[in-house]
Amino acid sequence: MTHSDFNGFRLTTAISDPISVSWQSPSNIALVKYWGKTGLQLPVNPSLSMTLAKAYTQTKLTAMPRETEGGIELDFWFEGLQNVAFGQRISKFLNSVTDIFPWLVQVNLKIESQNTFPHSAGIASSASAFSALALCLCTLDADLFGIMLDENEFRAKASYIARLGSGSACRSLFPGFTVWGASKALSGSSNLFAVPVEEVHPVFETLCDTIILVNRKEKPVSSSEGHNRMVGHPFAEARIKQAKNNTTELLQALKSGDKQTFIRIVENEAFTLHSLMMTSEQGFMLMQPETVRIITRIQELRRETGLDICFTLDAGPNIHLLYFKEQFEQVNKLIVEDLVENNEQNMLIYDSFGFGPVKVG
Ligand code: DP6
């Protein structure tokens, strides 16, 4: 499959009335990390994530009549306000998909978007935002031209488009666990779009993710810049091999219900991601003293209590604490009474295994 396989149609007659579509789409948390890219937003290694339930973006896309053709004409609103910075990123993305959706330059566009979670809170807002927008684009395209795709083709196309906006977004199109990047361990997996993991032991559908916020300041190095620092990284080759092996092992653990392997790989991936940042040529560190204190304590508590808890980190200082629903009461007591030490600054966000995007209009 190539990019041009997705090339779409121009309008032969201008639309006479506004036409809208709305989707809500969740964020996801990577368990095997995408870190490093090449070509047109292609990952250097496979990644595996869990789609979240409560952290999502709701996006309404409206196409309106337009008299003359030209570049993208976008009016972007985020949470009731015009947002210039994010609007520019979205315009750039829309310009990059005009071969797939040639009609984008024949209409005026309005995007209204809101999130269920706070900004800079350790939840990938680009994943939910670009997956919601990709779904809106594919639905509007299908409505305008009467395109009939089956559910799998539709999701694969939306995942492909979401990837062009933000790599991790392509994994948000599916319920539960998702792999993006070719892996020998999962047939049908691809660098171009993500695919759902079908064989999952029911215990992993009870996974909870409590995000412990230690800092909400803007990150000193963005993920996009972080990906760049993998170019020529001295450990790149070993990292790619490790990610492939971790994907294979984690898929097996998800299938068999092996919690201990899950815990080992998830923490190995979090530590690796942050080690790669520190050991890149222009090294940087996104963990904060409070991050180190809490992850150290999570490992101690696991040893002391025998509870099945582990952590992961994204490209930031905030901690995702993963555990199983049947241990919610005990784990929550530890979170509140021990891990955050009743420190008001450590805001908590409770999320869990989610069931994927929903069309809401
Ligand atoms: C550490 O998807 O935010 O969260 O493709 O440049 O938008 P862009 O990067 P992004 O990178 C995510 C990096 C990560 C790991 C992951 O989600 O797999």
Side-chain angles (χ1 to χ4, degrees):
M1 183 178 282
T2 63
H3 187 81
S4 57
D5 290 335
F6 289 105
N7 281 0
F9 307 104
R10 284 175 51 81
L11 293 166
T12 46
T13 46
I15 56 168
S16 47
D17 293 307
I19 149 167
S20 293
V21 56
S22 302
W23 278 88
Q24 69 183 42
S25 187
S27 186
N28 67 75
I29 175 68
L31 305 173
V32 175
K33 308 291 182 182
Y34 147 54
W35 200 239
K37 54 177 147 176
T38 176
L40 192 61
Q41 285 272 102
L42 298 170
V44 295
N45 63 264
S47 58
L48 193 161
S49 64
M50 180 177 83
T51 295
L52 296 175
K54 293 189 191 142
Y56 60 82
T57 298
Q58 184 159 327
T59 295
K60 179 177 179 187
L61 172 66
T62 306
M64 292 167 295
R66 172 168 168 179
E67 305 215 324
T68 50
E69 276 187 37
I72 295 289
E73 280 294 339
L74 173 66
D75 188 14
F76 181 77
W77 293 75
F78 181 68
E79 301 190 338
L81 298 172
Q82 265 176 323
N83 186 316
V84 178
F86 206 55
Q88 278 168 350
R89 183 166 173 194
I90 300 278
S91 288
K92 197 168 157 219
F93 160 70
L94 292 172
N95 269 304
S96 76
V97 293
T98 50
D99 45 355
I100 301 175
F101 305 115
W103 51 270
L104 284 174
V105 296
Q106 299 179 285
V107 295
N108 284 329
L109 295 162
K110 183 173 186 188
I111 295 175
E112 294 153 281
S113 191
Q114 63 232 18
N115 290 348
T116 55
F117 55 92
H119 188 60
S120 292
I123 295 178
S125 54
S126 62
S128 52
F130 280 103
S131 55
L133 181 54
L135 284 160
C136 289
L137 288 167
C138 291
T139 303
L140 212 52
D141 190 52
D143 289 352
L144 286 170
F145 299 101
I147 299 167
M148 307 283 265
L149 295 178
D150 71 30
E151 188 59 23
N152 291 341
E153 288 170 331
F154 178 80
R155 294 275 159 145
K157 181 175 175 181
S159 178
Y160 182 96
I161 311 281
R163 182 199 100 224
L164 299 173
S166 176
S168 54
C170 76
R171 296 186 309 235
S172 278
L173 276 296
F174 308 93
F177 299 94
T178 306
V179 167
W180 171 37
S183 161
K184 284 196 187 118
L186 190 65
S187 83
S189 57
S190 166
N191 287 337
L192 302 176
F193 47 79
V195 293
V197 178
E198 309 280 3
E199 292 183 304
V200 176
H201 189 283
V203 75
F204 286 113
E205 295 183 4
T206 70
L207 260 178
C208 300
D209 177 6
T210 295
I211 301 136
I212 305 173
L213 295 172
V214 305
N215 192 308
R216 290 191 51 197
K217 287 207 195 100
E218 198 72 30
K219 288 179 286 192
V221 179
S222 69
S223 327
S224 296
E225 178 49 31
H227 289 291
N228 291 339
R229 309 258 174 117
M230 283 307 289
V231 177
H233 193 294
F235 304 148
E237 204 182 312
R239 161 59 189 156
I240 293 168
K241 193 164 164 225
Q242 176 201 39
K244 286 181 180 166
N245 291 340
N246 279 348
T247 302
T248 303
E249 263 200 272
L250 189 54
L251 282 167
Q252 188 51 44
L254 288 174
K255 184 172 167 182
S256 63
D258 180 350
K259 292 179 183 170
Q260 298 321 310
T261 301
F262 177 90
I263 289 170
R264 176 171 57 77
I265 291 175
V266 165
E267 292 194 353
N268 175 252
E269 280 288 320
F271 277 135
T272 298
L273 172 69
H274 285 259
S275 312
L276 289 168
M277 294 173 192
M278 290 187 254
T279 52
S280 62
E281 202 171 315
Q282 286 172 277
F284 62 104
M285 183 156 69
L286 298 181
M287 282 190 280
Q288 303 238 326
E290 186 68 345
T291 316
V292 177
R293 183 187 71 75
I294 292 176
I295 62 180
T296 306
R297 190 69 189 128
I298 290 170
Q299 293 194 318
E300 276 171 12
L301 285 169
R302 181 167 67 239
R303 278 194 295 273
E304 287 167 15
T305 64
L307 288 167
D308 297 315
I309 52 175
C310 64
F311 68 87
T312 189
L313 305 168
D314 255 356
N318 301 314
I319 297 137
H320 288 248
L321 176 65
L322 301 173
Y323 53 96
F324 297 90
K325 200 172 172 189
E326 63 166 13
Q327 295 180 336
F328 176 82
E329 299 299 336
Q330 294 113 294
V331 175
N332 196 40
K333 198 165 150 51
L334 290 180
I335 294 173
V336 177
E337 291 177 10
D338 188 311
L339 283 177
V340 304
E341 294 176 335
N342 293 319
N343 182 346
E344 301 250 314
Q345 280 187 324
N346 294 144
M347 195 178 129
L348 299 170
I349 298 179
Y350 290 86
D351 213 324
S352 59
F353 176 99
F355 293 90
V358 180
K359 186 167 181 284
V360 288

